[in-house]
Amino acid sequence: MEDLSLKIVENHLLHGDVYLLKMESKEPFKGLRPGQFAELQLDGHFLRRPLSLADFDTNSVTFLYKVVGKGTKELTEYPLGEHIQTIMGLGNGFDIEASKKPLFVAGGIGIAPFIALGKAFASKGIRPTMIVGFKNKDEVGGLELYSPYMDIIVTTDDGSYGEKGNPVSYLKSHKVDFDYYYACGPLIMLKFLSEAFSNGELSLEARMGCGIGACMGCSIMLKDGSAKRICREGPIFKAEVLSL
């Protein structure tokens, strides 16, 4: 975990109400993993904003964020060259060693962390499949960031783009060859996915007061009755241990 002042080098509309934010650090990042997140300190806001790491290299990190409130709306107006105090490398990240034939399952902005994960598998000579679901064709976008590293199947609730339905219904009605899956998206999607397939990992979202495990505000109960913090022991949990 590092608390760094990062400089904005890109901050632009990607599609719909989803923006791409890229920032650079003077110092090399230490030990970042796909599936981790960061906490951004925005001006005038007491609580930091948690964002998944979409992509990263030695000195730069990219986030995809959706405008959902005052904070993210204000973030769209941050100019190039502005610095944001950011806590990097939070959470546990995905277990890349768990799969030799991976499947990514994403819903909406839950697609964000799969650029970095796709690159990690590409470095091992593995090309995953990703099933990503959107409400309709107007929400589909940014897939060019993912297509170099994976094969993509798109579903929409109304069938206006790709396959009609959602990622879980697609998996139930189509033969998809995989040994392990990695998922991020709406809780209802993760719930039905974990009930249908236990051989995978889920990335959970929560309102986080601190992002470092101190406030206990993002705690959840596992099947065995133990309490875990999404920001500290998560955000990645094995599907078999969750009770959603």
Side-chain angles (χ1 to χ4, degrees):
M1 182 177 70
E2 302 175 274
D3 195 349
L4 304 170
S5 178
L6 304 184
K7 184 176 73 172
I8 297 176
V9 293
E10 291 185 49
N11 189 20
H12 60 82
L13 181 65
L14 188 62
H15 64 90
D17 53 4
V18 175
Y19 284 72
L20 183 149
L21 172 67
K22 184 175 182 179
M23 299 194 289
E24 291 182 346
S25 170
K26 290 183 179 180
E27 302 296 329
F29 297 128
K30 299 176 183 177
L32 296 183
R33 299 178 58 192
Q36 289 186 310
F37 68 97
E39 288 268 356
L40 283 63
Q41 183 64 67
L42 304 184
D43 294 339
H45 295 270
F46 178 71
L47 297 179
R48 295 183 185 235
R49 293 301 188 273
L51 294 178
S52 297
L53 307 185
D55 194 11
F56 55 85
D57 55 28
T58 304
N59 289 84
S60 69
V61 61
T62 299
F63 303 98
L64 302 184
Y65 66 96
K66 185 174 182 178
V67 177
V68 294
K70 183 179 179 182
T72 46
K73 176 59 178 177
E74 292 174 357
L75 182 56
T76 68
E77 300 170 358
Y78 275 48
L80 302 187
E82 182 90 357
H83 284 75
I84 299 178
Q85 201 66 29
T86 305
I87 302 178
M88 292 290 296
L90 297 172
N92 55 355
F94 291 112
D95 181 4
I96 299 171
E97 301 304 317
S99 178
K100 294 183 178 179
K101 199 170 186 59
L103 172 68
F104 301 165
V105 184
I109 195 60
I111 194 176
F114 293 114
I115 303 174
L117 189 59
K119 283 187 173 182
F121 277 109
S123 70
K124 301 172 64 174
I126 298 173
R127 186 175 176 86
T129 295
M130 177 171 69
I131 306 174
V132 55
F134 300 97
K135 289 181 180 179
N136 53 57
K137 65 179 180 180
D138 295 332
E139 290 196 354
V140 180
L143 299 182
E144 68 278 3
L145 301 175
Y146 300 82
S147 56
Y149 314 107
M150 64 198 75
D151 298 322
I152 303 173
I153 299 167
V154 177
T155 69
T156 51
D157 293 347
D158 61 3
S160 56
Y161 188 100
E163 299 282 338
K164 184 175 182 178
N166 57 65
V168 180
S169 66
Y170 184 91
L171 279 171
K172 288 181 175 180
S173 60
H174 294 76
K175 175 67 175 177
V176 180
D177 188 18
F178 69 98
D179 63 2
Y180 199 76
Y181 69 83
Y182 304 85
C184 184
L187 185 61
I188 188 66
M189 183 195 82
L190 300 182
K191 173 180 170 62
F192 287 126
L193 181 65
S194 63
E195 290 174 350
F197 306 95
S198 62
N199 57 323
E201 297 179 358
L202 311 179
S203 177
L204 303 185
E205 296 181 353
R207 290 186 177 274
M208 298 178 184
C210 68
I212 59 174
C215 72
M216 305 296 289
C218 62
S219 296
I220 59 169
M221 298 295 291
L222 303 188
K223 285 182 179 178
D224 64 6
S226 63
K228 300 295 182 181
R229 298 160 295 183
I230 290 177
C231 72
R232 192 71 173 180
E233 286 81 36
I236 314 300
F237 293 91
K238 292 186 180 301
E240 62 188 13
V241 307
L242 288 172
S243 179
L244 300 177

